[in-house]
């Protein structure tokens, strides 16, 4: 696979070329790295070149592939593949921007809206495959997308709407000009074509100060309502910015998706907006919220999204022409879910504790009820849960896992659901789009339970004693073990929910393990170093007075 030196060069070469074309630098995404590596391994195995989308119709990311063969041993750096892709620039038709099979690698490398990157490398010494994956994907062949995303070196271009308008109304061809494309938005350039000229202003995006205030204001309000702080997600930032630009262009106030707040302001005088105003205006809807009948209302939906407890990640976009401004906030997981009990659990009154496990008295008319929130995995549990996974994985030649905030939120949400319904089932049974792997454990006791992060993982791993090393593959009584040590999984999420006498623990894994295709178990479930295949592990997970139950991992 790609080592640290290769990955560094691969990223730096991308960003050097992107800077020439006014595009922001890319950053690595661990999920994309894992997916790109998996596909590179597959290409080496089958010995041919094809895109992953040909076998996965739901693949949404962009992809570049590089292949080289030599009779002599190959030593490839991270620079060659990117250079070969970028060199297609010589064939790009700047007078008719758009997709072409002979320039698609180049246009993906410099595509302005792409923000994240993954890389995979596979070689047998004489043949090498390099896979680059990009998010959001480039090469979107819709009107105006290439003009906006593939900028010439050191040249400015018309905005999409102005370009298309001039094409239609003036029937002239856009020509290169002598002002530079800027990485930061908000520049003004003069573009000429024949006798016609026009000043084009690009939309200002949220600067560092705005973004910091926007995030801090959210988290100050969330703390009042017992909700954990949000963190920025680069994919959400890119999507929110794109939608803010669209709103400024169309002058409308429509939503692009669930989990979204929009703020709009106009003035005859030049506007200077901070990151605080938009969030304050959303939060001030609290005055209209009906605490005696929790639920969604169009007049309070911005407030409830701001403080929604299960949301963990945030994106922001800002677009303005100086007199009008649009701010878009996007949230993951989205809030305002109108299922029974969701508002009671996610929109807490001021003064609620941030940690779960508090009890509050809610009243409505003559009726009152004690509402107990479910305890979530604390820092100590999470640390042990992760360390125990990685200790076992090291025995089987698998890289350590790292926590993913989205997986943590999803695992916690499912653990809460299982406690609520009091039964064991996988999330995929209710969400057909679920792609991540999942282990679940349940424990019940007549005495109060105190579970550590170690015990759960041990119980899953102890299924090793039943694994048939002579016939590798999936089995319902060893699926927890094989998911724990699955080599291609790189990210982890954990959720814990308990009422004191019953506890559910959910582990979620990305990419998912237990892929029951030919050769996958041989490659991903390796025997312990120094042991013959077929060795056993005699560790017991019995606990006095406690009865554990488990169901098989998600295929």
């Amino acid at each position: 696979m790609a080592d640290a030196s290769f990955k560094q060069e691969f990223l730096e070469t991308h960003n050097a070329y992107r800077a020439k074309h006014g595009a922001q630098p890319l950053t690595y995404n661990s999920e994309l790295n894992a997916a790109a590596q998996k596909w590179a391994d597959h290409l080496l195995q089958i010995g041919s070149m094809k895109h992953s989308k040909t076998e996965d119709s739901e693949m949404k990311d962009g992809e570049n592939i590089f292949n080289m063969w030599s009779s002599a041993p190959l030593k490839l750096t991270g620079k060659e593949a990117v250079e070969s892709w970028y060199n297609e620039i010589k064939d790009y038709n700047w007078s008719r921007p758009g997709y072409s099979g002979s320039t698609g690698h180049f246009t993906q490398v410099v595509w302005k809206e792409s923000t994240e990157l993954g890389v995979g490398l596979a070689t047998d010494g004489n043949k090498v495959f390099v896979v680059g994956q990009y998010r959001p994907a480039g090469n979107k062949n819709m009107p105006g997308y290439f003009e906006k995303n593939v900028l010439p070196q050191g040249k400015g271009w018309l905005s999409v709407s102005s370009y298309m308008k001039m094409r239609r109304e003036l029937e002239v061809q856009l020509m290169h000009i002598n002002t530079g494309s800027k990485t930061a938005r908000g520049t003004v350039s003069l573009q000429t074509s024949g006798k016609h000229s026009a000043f084009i202003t690009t939309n200002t995006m949220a600067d560092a100060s705005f973004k910091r205030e926007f995030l801090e204001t959210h988290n100050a309000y969330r703390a009042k309502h017992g909700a954990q702080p949000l963190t920025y997600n680069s994919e959400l930032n890119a999507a929110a910015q794109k939608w803010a630009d669209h709103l400024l262009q169309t002058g409308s106030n429509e939503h692009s998706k669930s989990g979204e707040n929009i703020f709009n302001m106009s003035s005859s005088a030049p506007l200077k907006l901070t990151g605080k105003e938009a969030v304050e205006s959303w939060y001030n809807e609290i005055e209209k919220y009906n605490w005696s009948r929790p639920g969604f209302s169009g007049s309070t939906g911005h407030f409830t999204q701001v403080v929604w407890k299960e949301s963990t990640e945030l994106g922001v976009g800002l677009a303005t022409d100086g007199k009008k401004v649009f701010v878009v906030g996007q949230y993951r997981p989205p809030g305002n879910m109108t299922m029974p009990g969701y508002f009671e659990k996610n929109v807490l009154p001021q003064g609620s504790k941030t940690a779960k496990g508090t009890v509050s008295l809610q009243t409505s008319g003559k009726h009152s009820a004690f509402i107990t929130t479910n305890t979530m995995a604390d820092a100590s549990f999470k640390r042990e849960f992760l360390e125990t996974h990685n200790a076992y994985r090291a025995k089987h030649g698998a890289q350590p896992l790292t926590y993913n905030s989205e997986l943590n939120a999803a695992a916690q949400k499912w653990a809460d659901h299982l406690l609520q319904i009091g039964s064991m089932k996988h999330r995929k049974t209710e969400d057909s789009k679920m792609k991540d792997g999942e282990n679940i454990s349940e424990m019940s006791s007549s005495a109060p339970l105190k579970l550590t992060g170690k015990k759960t993982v041990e119980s899953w791993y102890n299924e090793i004693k039943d694994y048939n090393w002579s016939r590798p593959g999936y089995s319902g009584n060893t699926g927890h073990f094989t998911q724990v040590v699955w080599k291609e999984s790189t990210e982890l999420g954990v959720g814990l929910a308990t009422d004191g006498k019953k506890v559910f623990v959910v582990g979620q894994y990305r990419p998912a393990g237990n892929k029951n295709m030919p050769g996958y178990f041989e490659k991903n479930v390796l025997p312990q170093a120094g042991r013959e295949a077929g060795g056993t592990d005699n560790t017991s997970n019995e606990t006095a007075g406690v009865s554990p139950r488990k169901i098989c991992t998600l295929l």
Side-chain angles (χ1 to χ4, degrees):
M1 69 189 302
D3 60 20
S5 171
F6 183 97
K7 289 179 74 175
Q8 182 181 352
E9 269 199 306
F10 189 81
L11 181 64
E12 288 176 351
T13 309
H14 268 90
N15 289 337
Y17 284 134
R18 289 173 64 82
K20 291 183 177 183
H21 294 264
Q24 296 282 353
L26 301 171
T27 57
Y28 275 126
N29 173 297
S30 57
E31 183 186 354
L32 289 178
N33 279 331
Q37 184 60 50
K38 185 175 179 179
W39 193 246
D41 292 340
H42 176 70
L43 295 180
L44 182 64
Q45 188 178 32
I46 63 174
S48 66
M49 292 269 286
K50 62 179 179 177
H51 282 290
S52 56
K53 193 167 186 178
T54 59
E55 294 191 8
D56 180 3
S57 60
E58 294 186 6
M59 164 74 167
K60 301 295 184 186
D61 303 309
E63 187 172 72
N64 278 351
I65 300 175
F66 173 88
N67 172 230
M68 183 182 283
W69 179 89
S70 172
S71 57
L74 281 167
K75 175 58 178 165
L76 191 70
T77 71
K79 195 173 180 182
E80 284 98 333
V82 188
E83 279 186 340
S84 74
W85 295 334
Y86 181 81
N87 286 341
E88 293 176 357
I89 189 176
K90 67 184 186 299
D91 299 315
Y92 190 69
N93 187 345
W94 295 99
S95 63
R96 295 189 65 187
Y99 178 75
S100 163
S102 61
T103 58
H105 298 96
F106 155 66
T107 50
Q108 175 60 86
V109 166
V110 302
W111 193 265
K112 195 169 184 181
E113 288 179 356
S114 295
T115 59
E116 294 182 303
L117 177 67
V119 63
L121 180 149
T123 181
D124 58 9
N126 295 111
K127 187 184 292 182
V128 64
F129 288 88
V130 178
V131 176
Q133 291 190 358
Y134 306 79
R135 183 178 293 167
N139 291 332
K140 300 287 189 184
N141 214 14
M142 280 95 77
Y145 270 61
F146 275 79
E147 293 82 350
K148 185 171 65 170
N149 281 285
V150 183
L151 308 182
Q153 290 188 51
K155 303 291 182 181
W157 284 76
L158 290 171
S159 68
V160 179
S161 58
S162 299
Y163 170 77
M164 297 307 291
K165 185 177 179 181
M166 288 182 71
R167 285 282 298 265
R168 289 193 304 268
E169 296 179 0
L170 305 177
E171 297 181 349
V172 294
Q173 187 174 349
L174 182 65
M175 297 178 65
H176 296 203
I177 58 162
N178 58 2
T179 57
S181 303
K182 301 295 185 182
T183 299
R185 298 179 177 223
T187 60
V188 178
S189 59
L190 177 65
Q191 302 200 9
T192 62
S193 180
K195 298 179 180 179
H196 306 283
S197 64
F199 281 95
I200 308 301
T201 308
T202 58
N203 308 332
T204 304
M205 71 188 299
D207 61 17
S209 171
F210 183 96
K211 290 178 74 175
R212 185 178 62 252
E213 269 198 307
F214 189 80
L215 181 64
E216 288 175 353
T217 309
H218 267 90
N219 289 337
Y221 285 133
R222 288 173 64 83
K224 291 183 177 183
H225 294 265
Q228 296 286 343
L230 300 171
T231 57
Y232 275 126
N233 173 295
S234 57
E235 183 185 352
L236 289 178
N237 279 331
Q241 184 59 52
K242 184 175 178 179
W243 194 247
D245 291 343
H246 172 76
L247 296 180
L248 182 64
Q249 188 180 32
T250 62
S252 66
N253 221 18
E254 60 185 334
H255 282 287
S256 67
K257 60 189 293 187
S258 60
E260 184 174 75
N261 279 353
I262 299 174
F263 173 88
N264 171 230
M265 182 184 284
S266 59
S267 170
S268 57
L271 282 166
K272 175 59 178 157
L273 192 69
T274 70
K276 196 174 180 181
E277 284 99 332
V279 188
E280 279 186 340
S281 74
W282 296 334
Y283 181 80
N284 286 342
E285 292 176 357
I286 189 176
E287 297 169 1
K288 301 174 185 175
Y289 190 69
N290 187 347
W291 293 98
S292 63
R293 295 188 64 186
F296 179 75
S297 164
S299 61
T300 59
H302 298 97
F303 156 65
T304 50
Q305 175 60 85
V306 167
V307 301
W308 193 265
K309 196 168 184 182
E310 288 178 356
S311 296
T312 58
E313 293 181 304
L314 178 67
V316 63
L318 180 150
T320 181
D321 56 10
K323 302 291 181 73
K324 186 185 292 182
V325 63
F326 288 88
V327 177
V328 176
Q330 291 189 358
Y331 306 80
R332 182 182 292 166
N336 291 331
M337 297 295 186
T338 57
M339 283 90 81
Y342 270 60
F343 273 79
E344 291 84 346
K345 186 171 64 171
N346 281 284
V347 183
L348 307 183
Q350 289 189 49
S352 301
K353 302 294 184 184
T354 300
K356 296 195 174 191
T358 59
V359 179
S360 60
L361 179 65
Q362 298 193 1
T363 62
S364 177
K366 297 180 179 179
H367 306 284
S368 64
F370 281 95
I371 309 299
T372 307
T373 58
N374 308 331
T375 304
M376 69 189 301
D378 61 17
S380 171
F381 184 97
K382 290 178 74 174
R383 184 178 64 251
E384 270 198 308
F385 190 80
L386 180 64
E387 288 175 353
T388 309
H389 268 89
N390 289 336
Y392 285 133
R393 289 173 64 83
K395 290 183 177 184
H396 295 265
Q399 293 290 334
L401 301 171
T402 57
Y403 275 126
N404 173 298
S405 58
E406 183 185 353
L407 289 178
N408 279 330
Q412 184 60 49
K413 184 175 179 179
W414 193 247
D416 291 343
H417 177 70
L418 295 181
L419 183 64
Q420 187 179 33
I421 64 174
S423 66
M424 295 272 283
K425 61 179 179 176
H426 279 293
R427 181 178 150 202
K428 193 169 186 179
T429 61
E430 294 190 9
D431 179 5
S432 61
K433 294 181 180 179
M434 163 77 165
K435 300 294 183 186
D436 303 310
E438 186 171 72
N439 278 353
I440 301 176
S441 173
E442 180 199 356
M443 224 176 248
S444 58
S445 171
S446 57
L449 280 166
K450 175 58 178 164
L451 190 68
T452 67
K454 189 176 181 182
K455 282 183 181 176
T456 303
V457 187
E458 278 183 344
S459 73
W460 294 337
Y461 181 82
N462 285 342
E463 292 175 353
I464 188 175
K465 66 184 184 299
D466 299 315
Y467 190 69
N468 188 345
W469 295 98
S470 62
R471 296 187 64 186
Y474 178 75
S475 165
N477 63 347
T478 59
H480 298 94
F481 155 65
T482 49
Q483 175 61 87
V484 166
V485 301
W486 193 265
K487 194 170 183 180
E488 288 179 355
S489 295
T490 59
E491 293 182 304
L492 178 67
V494 63
L496 179 151
T498 181
D499 58 9
K501 303 293 182 69
K502 185 184 291 184
V503 63
F504 288 89
V505 178
V506 176
Q508 291 189 358
Y509 305 81
R510 184 177 292 170
N514 291 330
K515 300 289 187 184
N516 214 13
M517 282 96 77
Y520 270 61
F521 274 79
E522 291 82 345
K523 186 170 65 170
N524 282 284
V525 183
L526 308 182
Q528 290 187 47
R531 278 195 176 186
E532 295 295 326
T536 61
D537 190 305
N538 295 317
T539 307
S540 170
N541 70 311
E542 292 181 359
T543 306
V546 177
S547 60
R549 279 202 302 129
K550 305 187 293 276
I551 58 174
C552 59
T553 50
L554 188 61
L555 272 174

